[in-house]
Amino acid sequence: MTTTKSQTPGPRISEGGGKRRSMRIGVMCGRLQGFEDGHPEEALVWASSGGYDGVLFATPRAMSPELDGVALKEAGELAAERGLYLEVGIGSLGPFGDAGERLAELNAHIDAAATAGCREFFAYTRTDRHHASVPHAVQLAAVQKTLETLAPRLRDEGLRLNLKTHEDLSSHEVLRLVDESGTDVVGVSLDVANLVVRGEDPVEATRRLAPHVHQTHFEDVALYIVERGLRRRLRPCGAGVLDWAAILRTLAEESPARRLTLEQHAGRFDLDVFDPAWFDAEPHVTARELAVLFRHAVDCERRASAGELPSLAAYDDDGGHLARRGELAESARWLRHTLDTIGRSSWQ
């Protein structure tokens, strides 16, 4: 692996007042951030030089498309040399597609992650709440079977799989899957922005999941009222509506997480809350939590009218990977400010 020379790094984002803090802040690096698969050294050097503490790759194939053992090991070694933690995803847990092929891919990615030095990793689901012939409960059962099949290996090898709060699952469903799979080997990778899509208040959902949160995918949201209900758009942390003080305080007090990994992507989703049929597929939704989201939407509309937030149409303009890198830096600064505000002692 060829290591790219970098500029002398400035103060690390997770440092303040000359003293190292226990909570570390890292970033997801992929094509959206301008990093091509097969060149992990570029992302690792960029993150280290930029003062981040870690890097998350979507799958091991981002480090080596062929899952070459030498390349994966070198990526892990470079991360260690740079003082970075390394996180990786292992792909989809289903439920659709051939189960055998899915398990083979997941196990290959687990092998690759371990080769790179990762002892825990995240996975996601692709359920469809409105599938014409397969009820959502049946889909969840298929995901559960995949987790149960992987659990003995995870337990034997001392590994942990963290289930991401993807847009297709509620926090209640994630919690059930984790509990039924064994909390010693299956945890949660918390993406608070995704919980909004399921009509949940991210603060309350964080409280439900906190004891099992080992990883994060953090970014903020803005909400706008549209003909079908609410439309979610993604923002850097602190530039949206989420209550980061409450979210971080909950994690400090109740979760084992000591890393905050940031993600800035382009996913666009609506909450069709003005369609009565939407509620039939969302039995977990409560009036109290949905009201929080509408309060946020009203606030976003007001701020957009005042020029404090982009208009909904403005999100159609893609600023490209350099803009997303800038948003990651903005998120890191905001989270560090919030950690300072809620008190350093919570994280010791």
Side-chain angles (χ1 to χ4, degrees):
M1 176 183 297
T2 302
T3 301
T4 305
K5 292 184 179 179
S6 63
Q7 299 176 352
T8 301
R12 300 194 68 82
I13 287 174
S14 292
E15 293 176 346
K19 181 179 179 180
R20 186 76 175 185
R21 299 181 185 178
S22 59
M23 181 57 69
R24 308 178 74 195
I25 294 179
V27 286
M28 186 170 189
C29 290
R31 292 181 181 179
L32 283 175
Q33 294 80 32
F35 301 105
E36 294 299 320
D37 292 350
H39 301 280
E41 67 279 1
E42 295 179 1
L44 293 167
V45 170
W46 171 79
S48 175
S49 299
Y52 297 105
D53 293 312
V55 168
L56 167 65
F57 292 111
T59 76
R61 295 187 189 278
M63 293 183 281
S64 171
E66 302 81 17
L67 300 184
D68 177 75
V70 173
L72 292 165
K73 185 177 180 181
E74 287 181 345
E77 290 173 345
L78 178 58
E81 290 171 7
R82 289 270 171 172
L84 299 170
Y85 67 77
L86 184 62
E87 295 182 332
V88 67
I90 60 169
S92 174
L93 298 167
F96 299 107
D98 182 85
E101 292 178 0
R102 179 166 63 250
L103 282 167
E105 181 78 348
L106 288 166
N107 277 302
H109 283 175
I110 291 173
D111 290 340
T115 299
C118 297
R119 308 302 296 172
E120 64 178 320
F121 25 79
F122 80 93
Y124 59 90
T125 57
R126 290 192 179 277
T127 66
D128 181 352
R129 307 182 87 84
H130 303 284
H131 197 279
S133 59
V134 184
H136 198 244
V138 175
Q139 298 174 44
L140 291 175
V143 172
Q144 186 67 62
K145 184 175 181 180
T146 298
L147 287 168
E148 290 174 352
T149 302
L150 293 173
R153 176 189 180 175
L154 299 172
R155 195 167 285 115
D156 289 345
E157 298 180 22
L159 305 174
R160 178 182 291 109
L161 185 158
N162 294 312
L163 179 58
K164 185 179 181 182
T165 55
H166 211 222
E167 287 94 348
D168 59 308
L169 295 185
S170 72
S171 64
H172 302 274
E173 291 161 340
V174 169
L175 187 57
R176 285 197 298 271
L177 288 167
V178 170
D179 281 339
E180 292 174 10
S181 302
T183 56
D184 59 324
V185 292
V186 179
V188 174
S189 187
L190 180 65
D191 187 327
V192 287
N194 286 343
L195 296 166
V196 171
V197 179
R198 299 272 62 89
E200 298 185 80
D201 172 10
V203 171
E204 291 301 321
T206 298
R207 289 173 180 150
R208 285 189 282 273
L209 297 172
H212 310 293
V213 172
H214 292 267
Q215 293 178 312
T216 71
H217 299 247
F218 275 173
E219 55 196 319
D220 214 325
V221 301
L223 291 169
Y224 298 83
I225 299 173
V226 295
E227 184 176 352
R228 297 168 57 178
L230 298 177
R231 182 160 295 171
R232 185 201 74 173
R233 289 293 183 262
L234 297 170
R235 301 283 292 157
C237 296
V241 296
L242 298 187
D243 186 346
W244 289 104
I247 290 168
L248 294 178
R249 187 176 291 110
T250 296
L251 293 179
E253 294 173 352
E254 301 181 30
S255 89
R258 287 299 176 267
R259 299 171 175 176
L260 301 179
T261 302
L262 305 171
E263 178 180 13
Q264 201 67 47
H265 64 87
R268 301 182 176 188
F269 289 89
D270 288 353
L271 291 75
D272 297 337
V273 296
F274 297 153
D275 179 359
W278 182 81
F279 289 89
D280 295 335
E282 311 284 350
H284 57 273
V285 172
T286 68
R288 184 183 298 272
E289 292 193 35
L290 194 58
V292 171
L293 300 186
F294 270 93
R295 186 179 71 236
H296 287 329
V298 170
D299 183 46
C300 284
E301 297 281 0
R302 177 191 60 78
R303 292 167 63 188
S305 296
E308 299 171 5
L309 277 179
S311 67
L312 182 55
Y315 290 90
D316 293 333
D317 298 328
D318 187 352
H321 73 272
L322 291 179
R324 277 186 281 273
R325 292 188 190 184
E327 289 169 343
L328 289 170
E330 184 177 346
S331 288
R333 287 191 294 270
W334 178 259
L335 290 188
R336 184 52 57 207
H337 166 75
T338 306
L339 291 173
D340 285 339
T341 299
I342 66 175
R344 185 178 302 184
S345 60
S346 297
W347 300 94
Q348 302 303 322

